[in-house]
Amino acid sequence: MPRRPLPALLAGIPALVLVALAGACTPTIAVDAAPDAANPACAPVMLALPPTLAGDLEKARTTSQATAAWGTGGAAVTLRCGVELPGPSADCQQVESAKGTVDWIVQAGDDGTWRFTTYGRDPAVEVTIPGTVRETHSSSFVADLAQAVGLVEATKTCT
Protein backbone atom coordinates (compact mmCIF):
# COMPACT_ATOMS: atom_id res chain seq x y z
CA MET A 1 0.00 0.00 0.00
CA PRO A 2 1.53 3.35 -0.99
CA ARG A 3 2.13 5.89 1.77
CA ARG A 4 0.08 9.04 1.47
CA PRO A 5 1.58 12.35 2.61
CA LEU A 6 0.13 13.74 5.84
CA PRO A 7 -1.83 16.60 4.16
CA ALA A 8 -3.51 14.10 1.83
CA LEU A 9 -4.33 11.87 4.78
CA LEU A 10 -5.80 14.78 6.77
CA ALA A 11 -7.90 15.87 3.78
CA GLY A 12 -9.85 12.66 4.14
CA ILE A 13 -10.72 13.31 7.78
CA PRO A 14 -13.76 15.51 8.45
CA ALA A 15 -12.95 18.87 10.06
CA LEU A 16 -15.14 18.12 13.07
CA VAL A 17 -13.05 15.08 13.92
CA LEU A 18 -9.87 17.16 13.75
CA VAL A 19 -11.38 19.79 16.05
CA ALA A 20 -12.44 17.09 18.50
CA LEU A 21 -8.97 15.55 18.47
CA ALA A 22 -7.31 18.92 19.04
CA GLY A 23 -9.69 19.67 21.90
CA ALA A 24 -8.92 16.34 23.53
CA CYS A 25 -5.48 17.69 24.42
CA THR A 26 -6.92 20.62 26.38
CA PRO A 27 -7.41 19.77 30.06
CA THR A 28 -10.91 20.03 31.53
CA ILE A 29 -11.15 21.35 35.09
CA ALA A 30 -14.18 20.52 37.24
CA VAL A 31 -15.60 23.79 38.58
CA ASP A 32 -19.04 24.01 40.20
CA ALA A 33 -21.35 26.66 38.79
CA ALA A 34 -22.24 29.55 41.09
CA PRO A 35 -25.88 30.00 42.19
CA ASP A 36 -26.40 32.94 39.79
CA ALA A 37 -24.27 31.58 36.91
CA ALA A 38 -27.13 32.12 34.45
CA ASN A 39 -27.09 35.89 35.10
CA PRO A 40 -26.80 37.52 31.64
CA ALA A 41 -24.17 39.95 33.00
CA CYS A 42 -21.75 37.00 33.38
CA ALA A 43 -21.54 36.41 29.61
CA PRO A 44 -19.49 39.53 28.74
CA VAL A 45 -17.15 38.80 31.66
CA MET A 46 -16.52 35.27 30.44
CA LEU A 47 -15.85 36.42 26.89
CA ALA A 48 -13.32 39.05 28.02
CA LEU A 49 -11.16 36.76 30.19
CA PRO A 50 -7.48 36.52 29.23
CA PRO A 51 -6.14 33.29 27.68
CA THR A 52 -3.18 33.25 30.08
CA LEU A 53 -2.64 34.35 33.70
CA ALA A 54 0.65 35.04 35.47
CA GLY A 55 2.54 34.57 32.21
CA ASP A 56 2.34 30.77 32.12
CA LEU A 57 -1.05 29.57 33.38
CA GLU A 58 -2.96 28.64 30.22
CA LYS A 59 -6.74 28.75 30.14
CA ALA A 60 -8.39 25.32 30.35
CA ARG A 61 -11.89 24.07 29.65
CA THR A 62 -14.31 23.85 32.58
CA THR A 63 -17.37 21.75 33.32
CA SER A 64 -19.89 24.46 34.24
CA GLN A 65 -21.51 27.62 32.94
CA ALA A 66 -19.90 30.97 33.81
CA THR A 67 -16.66 29.38 35.03
CA ALA A 68 -13.05 29.54 33.90
CA ALA A 69 -9.76 27.96 34.93
CA TRP A 70 -6.09 28.49 34.23
CA GLY A 71 -3.51 25.80 34.93
CA THR A 72 -4.02 22.09 35.45
CA GLY A 73 -5.81 19.78 37.87
CA GLY A 74 -5.39 20.62 41.56
CA ALA A 75 -3.08 23.49 40.61
CA ALA A 76 -5.68 25.47 38.67
CA VAL A 77 -6.80 29.02 39.36
CA THR A 78 -10.58 29.01 39.03
CA LEU A 79 -13.13 31.75 38.41
CA ARG A 80 -16.90 31.61 38.96
CA CYS A 81 -19.32 34.34 37.99
CA GLY A 82 -22.58 34.64 39.89
CA VAL A 83 -21.43 33.81 43.41
CA GLU A 84 -23.24 35.15 46.47
CA LEU A 85 -22.73 38.89 46.91
CA PRO A 86 -20.41 39.58 49.85
CA GLY A 87 -21.25 42.19 52.43
CA PRO A 88 -18.86 44.86 53.71
CA SER A 89 -15.67 43.44 55.13
CA ALA A 90 -12.41 44.56 56.69
CA ASP A 91 -10.79 42.18 54.17
CA CYS A 92 -11.79 44.42 51.25
CA GLN A 93 -8.89 45.63 49.11
CA GLN A 94 -8.74 47.80 46.01
CA VAL A 95 -6.56 46.33 43.26
CA GLU A 96 -5.53 48.89 40.67
CA SER A 97 -4.21 48.13 37.21
CA ALA A 98 -3.91 49.82 33.83
CA LYS A 99 -7.18 48.06 32.89
CA GLY A 100 -9.16 49.39 35.87
CA THR A 101 -9.70 49.16 39.60
CA VAL A 102 -11.57 46.29 41.22
CA ASP A 103 -12.49 45.93 44.88
CA TRP A 104 -11.98 42.38 46.17
CA ILE A 105 -12.78 40.67 49.47
CA VAL A 106 -9.66 38.56 50.09
CA GLN A 107 -9.85 35.48 52.30
CA ALA A 108 -7.03 33.08 53.12
CA GLY A 109 -7.90 29.44 53.75
CA ASP A 110 -6.14 27.13 56.21
CA ASP A 111 -4.80 25.09 53.29
CA GLY A 112 -2.99 28.05 51.68
CA THR A 113 -5.81 28.74 49.23
CA TRP A 114 -6.76 32.37 48.67
CA ARG A 115 -10.24 33.41 47.57
CA PHE A 116 -10.89 36.79 45.94
CA THR A 117 -14.55 37.85 45.60
CA THR A 118 -15.54 41.09 43.91
CA TYR A 119 -17.17 43.63 46.19
CA GLY A 120 -19.85 46.05 45.02
CA ARG A 121 -20.61 44.29 41.72
CA ASP A 122 -23.71 42.26 40.89
CA PRO A 123 -23.14 39.54 39.83
CA ALA A 124 -20.12 38.89 42.00
CA VAL A 125 -17.08 37.06 40.64
CA GLU A 126 -14.95 34.70 42.73
CA VAL A 127 -11.35 33.74 41.95
CA THR A 128 -9.74 30.87 43.86
CA ILE A 129 -5.95 30.52 43.92
CA PRO A 130 -4.75 27.21 45.37
CA GLY A 131 -1.71 27.10 47.61
CA THR A 132 0.21 25.15 44.98
CA VAL A 133 -0.10 28.10 42.59
CA ARG A 134 0.76 30.62 45.31
CA GLU A 135 4.03 28.75 45.94
CA THR A 136 5.26 29.66 42.46
CA HIS A 137 3.23 32.77 41.52
CA SER A 138 2.33 36.08 43.08
CA SER A 139 -1.40 36.62 43.44
CA SER A 140 -0.97 40.01 41.76
CA PHE A 141 -2.25 38.46 38.53
CA VAL A 142 -5.80 39.12 39.77
CA ALA A 143 -5.18 42.61 38.36
CA ASP A 144 -5.13 40.96 34.91
CA LEU A 145 -8.82 40.16 35.41
CA ALA A 146 -9.83 43.82 35.89
CA GLN A 147 -10.82 44.40 32.27
CA ALA A 148 -13.22 41.43 32.27
CA VAL A 149 -14.57 41.86 35.81
CA GLY A 150 -14.92 45.60 35.20
CA LEU A 151 -17.66 44.86 32.67
CA VAL A 152 -19.94 44.43 35.69
CA GLU A 153 -20.61 47.93 36.96
CA ALA A 154 -19.37 48.79 40.45
CA THR A 155 -22.11 50.16 42.70
CA LYS A 156 -20.08 50.16 45.96
CA THR A 157 -16.42 50.43 46.92
CA CYS A 158 -14.32 49.25 49.84
CA THR A 159 -14.07 52.68 51.38
Side-chain angles (χ1 to χ4, degrees):
M1 177 174 205
R3 293 179 81 116
R4 292 175 25 184
L6 186 58
L9 179 64
L10 292 178
I13 300 175
L16 264 167
V17 173
L18 291 175
V19 170
L21 289 173
C25 296
T26 305
T28 300
I29 308 295
V31 182
D32 292 335
D36 196 20
N39 188 317
C42 286
V45 172
M46 303 313 296
L47 292 173
L49 292 172
T52 306
L53 283 181
D56 65 345
L57 298 173
E58 298 292 324
K59 194 169 182 190
R61 292 185 306 179
T62 58
T63 57
S64 301
Q65 177 179 351
T67 64
W70 295 264
T72 57
V77 173
T78 60
L79 178 145
R80 301 185 318 144
C81 185
V83 297
E84 185 176 328
L85 300 174
S89 171
D91 297 324
C92 196
Q93 299 177 18
Q94 281 192 335
V95 177
E96 295 182 25
S97 75
K99 308 265 180 168
T101 300
V102 176
D103 290 357
W104 298 93
I105 305 288
V106 183
Q107 299 169 314
D110 293 337
D111 61 355
T113 298
W114 283 15
R115 180 164 284 118
F116 291 73
T117 307
T118 56
Y119 175 73
R121 296 174 192 265
D122 186 2
V125 174
E126 172 190 87
V127 176
T128 303
I129 306 171
T132 53
V133 172
R134 288 194 45 254
E135 290 173 6
T136 57
H137 297 80
S138 163
S139 62
S140 64
F141 62 77
V142 296
D144 297 342
L145 300 171
Q147 181 175 359
V149 172
L151 295 173
V152 176
E153 182 182 349
T155 57
K156 298 177 188 173
T157 61
C158 288
T159 55

